Amino acid sequence: MSAEAFHGLLGFPSWRALARGASMLGAFAVSACGVQAHPRGNAAPVDTSNDLGPEMGVPTGAGGVPALGSGGAPALGSGGTLPGIAGVAATSGGVSGVAGLSGSGGTLASAGAAGVAGTAVTAGGGAAGAGGAPLSGITITLGSNVVPKENAIAFIHFGHSNMAGRAIDPSTTRPYFFTQSDPHAWMYHVGTPPQLALEPYTADDDLSGTYGGPGTAIVKEAVALSPNNYFISLGFGKASAYCSQFLPGALYYDSLIQAPKAVKDRVTFAAIIVMLGITERHGTSADITGFSSCINTLVTAVRNDVGRPDLPLLLSDYEQEATGDLAVTGTFAQQIIPEIHKVPMVVSNAVLVPTDGLAMQDDHHFNFDGHKVWVGRALQLMKDNGWWHW
């Protein structure tokens, strides 16, 4: 069976194959130096109207069953303003959910049924998200689950081939990336509803089924930290791409931003995760010396497009375990590493994710274990900096 046929069996429509073909033609038109404008032509935008479900859907409990109040109607908070959620923690004057639910975290009383545990309810109001703020009532549909915006947490992640994923080993870790989906870990690409996150699809680069990257690990490791929420990968990776090629008006910005823009009013954004730096060698000297400024311009554009000027940036440090010409002692590494290290001083709410000691696939790509460890470091940095709210 061809890779494309296998891809189709997983529910990914043919538009993506067409998009890849157009992207490849664009790539051939770009030289290895400097920024080139992306020839958009007159192609119609991708229709996302059937991707995300109704904006104000009724949130669901365990197994996708709607939360019900007395008489089987959707449960409402005080004043009837918000749908209830099966399994919420009830306090005085809060949501009337499924009969039998009570106490903190949606614990089960007699004759009850558990729903989404751990969602708080404010006194006198409806269900609440992180920090006790009332829910907006806006939802996103993830499979059979209608999830409140406040519990649908999205990561914007993009970059070069390490982000796209070139890992094939070790075989013992491969199932975590390729076959063991998590019901709370999702990915989204415009034009098709969200899918359970698995490689090689999170970054939408090489879809042969051979290689894996960090996208699946990002959302699965996030679920491990906050199992009562849903996490969504919004990923894009492109081999050999460097920062200036991702800028607005250049080759790849439209591709990296289309999914975040499509969901921006339906999810809560967690962070921007970027792998760039080692590929600046494919650009000009200005791409190297101007790296921190380029990252600032790029991240500012993404933040503005999703309406989150404070959204944290987690940027990968230079691949410390790279070897050969790309080793940290090499000429290029010695040029780009100081520029990478300037980024937290130039970009607000930014940190570098360490890469030392990571398991490698080859001279500069992480293997599966390397990706998992790197993702764990990134999420820990979010916690350390007070950016983890779930």
Side-chain angles (χ1 to χ4, degrees), residues 284-347:
T284 66
S285 59
D287 286 299
I288 298 174
T289 59
F291 180 74
S292 61
S293 177
C294 181
I295 291 292
N296 187 39
T297 301
L298 175 55
V299 170
T300 298
V302 173
R303 287 169 169 172
N304 288 340
D305 270 337
V306 299
R308 280 289 309 278
D310 60 339
L311 195 60
L313 167 65
L314 305 168
L315 174 68
S316 184
D317 201 349
Y318 189 85
E319 288 80 343
Q320 294 293 306
E321 305 304 324
T323 57
D325 291 342
L326 297 177
V328 293
T329 55
T331 301
F332 167 71
Q334 291 297 302
Q335 292 175 326
I336 194 61
I337 288 174
E339 302 303 322
I340 293 173
H341 289 181
K342 288 180 183 178
V343 170
M345 296 180 284
V346 173
V347 183

Side-chain angles (χ1 to χ4, degrees), residues 18-333:
L18 295 173
R20 289 197 305 277
S23 177
M24 289 175 64
L25 289 173
F28 284 126
V30 177
S31 74
C33 300
V35 180
Q36 299 290 328
H38 181 37
R40 294 176 180 80
N42 296 313
V46 177
D47 181 8
T48 63
S49 59
N50 296 316
D51 290 1
L52 308 174
E55 185 176 359
M56 304 291 283
V58 179
T60 51
V65 180
L68 303 177
S70 59
L76 301 176
S78 176
T81 56
L82 286 174
I85 301 177
V88 297
T91 61
S92 60
V95 172
S96 59
V98 178
L101 293 179
S102 65
S104 175
T107 55
L108 183 63
S110 59
V116 181
T119 303
V121 176
T122 58
L135 292 180
S136 62
I138 297 172
T139 62
I140 184 172
T141 300
L142 301 174
S144 61
N145 303 295
V146 181
V147 180
K149 170 183 177 178
E150 292 76 7
N151 300 109
I153 317 303
F155 288 91
I156 302 168
H157 59 98
F158 57 88
H160 50 47
S161 55
N162 244 330
M163 180 60 76
R166 292 298 180 264
I168 59 175
D169 293 316
S171 59
T172 52
T173 313
R174 187 178 181 85
Y176 172 93
F177 286 85
F178 277 82
T179 60
Q180 297 171 354
S181 62
D182 186 298
H184 283 233
W186 293 77
M187 61 185 176
Y188 172 64
H189 300 288
V190 295
T192 189
Q195 308 270 338
L196 290 171
L198 286 174
E199 296 306 310
Y201 305 111
T202 59
D204 214 24
D205 173 50
D206 185 311
L207 302 177
S208 66
T210 303
Y211 306 106
T216 296
I218 290 169
V219 287
K220 289 181 71 174
E221 293 301 297
V223 172
L225 290 178
S226 300
N228 297 321
N229 292 289
Y230 291 78
F231 293 89
I232 306 168
S233 154
L234 306 173
F236 177 77
K238 187 59 60 177
S240 300
Y242 46 95
C243 180
S244 61
Q245 293 180 316
F246 286 94
L247 291 175
L251 189 59
Y252 299 125
Y253 187 77
D254 287 356
S255 296
L256 77 88
I257 202 63
Q258 60 181 352
K261 287 177 70 173
V263 301
K264 72 174 186 176
D265 297 321
R266 309 288 292 274
V267 302
T268 299
F269 289 107
I272 303 168
I273 302 179
V274 177
M275 288 182 170
L276 287 172
I278 198 170
T279 45
E280 305 311 299
R281 69 189 189 277
H282 298 301
T284 66
S285 59
D287 286 299
I288 298 174
T289 59
F291 180 74
S292 61
S293 177
C294 181
I295 291 292
N296 187 39
T297 301
L298 175 55
V299 170
T300 298
V302 173
R303 287 169 169 172
N304 288 340
D305 270 337
V306 299
R308 280 289 309 278
D310 60 339
L311 195 60
L313 167 65
L314 305 168
L315 174 68
S316 184
D317 201 349
Y318 189 85
E319 288 80 343
Q320 294 293 306
E321 305 304 324
T323 57
D325 291 342
L326 297 177
V328 293
T329 55
T331 301
F332 167 71

